[in-house]
Amino acid sequence: MIKFKNERQIEGIRRSCRLLASVLDAAEALIVAGAVPREIDAAVQSMIEDAGGRPAFLGYHGFPASLCFSVNAAVIHGIPGDTPLAEGDIVSMDCGIELEGFFSDSARTIAVGRVPEEIRTLMKTAEESLYLGIEAARPGNRLKDISRAIYDHNHARGYGLVRPYGGHGVGLALHEDPHISNFIGRGPNPRLKPGMVIAIEPMVNLGGDDIIVLDDDWTVVTADSSVSVHYEHTVAITPEGPEILTAGRNFHA
Ligand code: MG
Ligand code: MG
């Protein structure tokens, strides 16, 4: 069941999202060759807790970190470890915060140093598709208008899209209804209405659609080992249209 949020609740979610955007801005600055993912995770946890928040991913179904840290062929749910980042790595950082009972969720992909043009194009296209999906998140449209906008933009480039995972309602919990596929499949297609707060999150592969889960039972990787990228914002649907709640310093839509 979709939980509609009132103005007071949206304001609370907005505060949680603002904190998350500032934490991701700070974390992004730590993504350099030689940086140790586990230390970036610790820094993120401190930033969240110092601001009075709680890392929403830490302990969620047993997840061991505050930050999902997915490198290169890892799509999502990577565990920040001890292997230092290297020039050319592609890092997807996904984080969620609970602040005063309100939840936020956002992800970004960052290149470590110089990366090949085809990776730059993948990153640009996938990020564009996030904003096309957000643009479709307005009253009068339906849920699958978001899915279609994301799918079409990436599929036109020949990229793979990850089927089993997608966006979701968010705000009073980390994951709420509805599921927002990055495919246009079967299933419910509700009309979008003011008061909905959703996380929109394309996961886009340079190669095919298929993914597998590693033996750590968390890390989702592309089956063909191709590079994958991930962009996510928490968005409130208002009578005037979408409001991006997790826009950070480098916001340029
Ligand atoms: Mg997320
Ligand atoms: Mg999410």
Side-chain angles (χ1 to χ4, degrees):
M1 203 186 66
I2 295 171
K3 291 185 206 154
F4 289 86
K5 281 79 175 179
N6 61 34
E7 257 317 308
R8 184 191 65 82
Q9 291 168 324
I10 290 176
E11 183 50 34
I13 298 164
R14 196 179 275 124
R15 280 197 298 273
S16 179
C17 287
R18 257 187 225 133
L19 173 59
L20 177 55
S22 69
V23 166
L24 284 175
D25 282 344
E28 193 173 328
L30 302 175
I31 302 291
V32 292
V36 176
R38 190 190 296 276
E39 293 171 2
I40 297 171
D41 178 64
V44 162
Q45 182 173 348
S46 297
M47 283 187 266
I48 294 169
E49 291 173 348
D50 290 350
R54 181 182 73 79
F57 292 3
L58 185 61
Y60 186 77
H61 295 290
F63 189 75
S66 301
L67 192 61
C68 289
F69 203 92
S70 307
V71 182
N72 298 331
V75 181
I76 49 169
H77 302 170
I79 299 170
D82 293 316
T83 307
L85 295 175
E87 176 89 10
D89 279 345
I90 309 300
V91 176
S92 296
M93 284 194 302
D94 189 353
C95 193
I97 292 176
E98 180 186 359
L99 182 68
E100 293 164 359
F102 297 106
F103 289 80
S104 50
D105 191 2
S106 182
R108 306 173 182 185
T109 296
I110 299 109
V112 181
R114 293 176 65 84
V115 296
E117 189 59 34
E118 73 169 349
I119 303 291
R120 285 273 164 217
T121 305
L122 171 71
M123 293 171 70
K124 179 169 177 287
T125 304
E127 191 171 17
E128 284 168 356
S129 80
L130 168 60
Y131 292 107
L132 291 169
I134 291 170
E135 189 54 36
R138 53 181 61 251
N141 277 358
R142 288 183 181 273
L143 193 70
K144 287 182 187 185
D145 292 315
I146 300 171
S147 308
R148 184 174 297 105
I150 292 170
Y151 179 82
D152 285 351
H153 193 63
N154 292 296
H155 186 68
R157 284 269 184 188
Y159 297 144
L161 283 122
V162 176
R163 250 173 224 270
Y165 303 93
H168 49 90
V170 62
L172 306 181
L174 184 58
H175 291 116
E176 301 175 6
D177 287 339
H179 175 72
I180 307 173
S181 178
N182 296 316
F183 270 87
I184 316 142
R186 294 164 184 274
N189 190 16
R191 218 172 260 291
L192 301 174
K193 293 185 181 147
M196 291 175 73
V197 179
I198 53 178
I200 301 176
E201 48 180 315
M203 301 153 200
V204 186
N205 306 336
L206 190 59
D209 300 338
D210 293 347
I211 50 97
I212 50 176
V213 180
L214 295 185
D215 284 342
D216 63 13
D217 288 334
W218 279 110
T219 314
V220 175
V221 301
T222 53
D224 58 11
S225 300
S226 67
V227 168
S228 186
V229 300
H230 181 205
Y231 296 88
E232 176 180 27
H233 276 309
T234 295
V235 176
I237 299 179
T238 79
E240 291 77 39
E243 177 187 344
I244 301 174
L245 302 181
T246 44
R249 187 173 53 205
N250 297 327
F251 181 63
H252 59 259

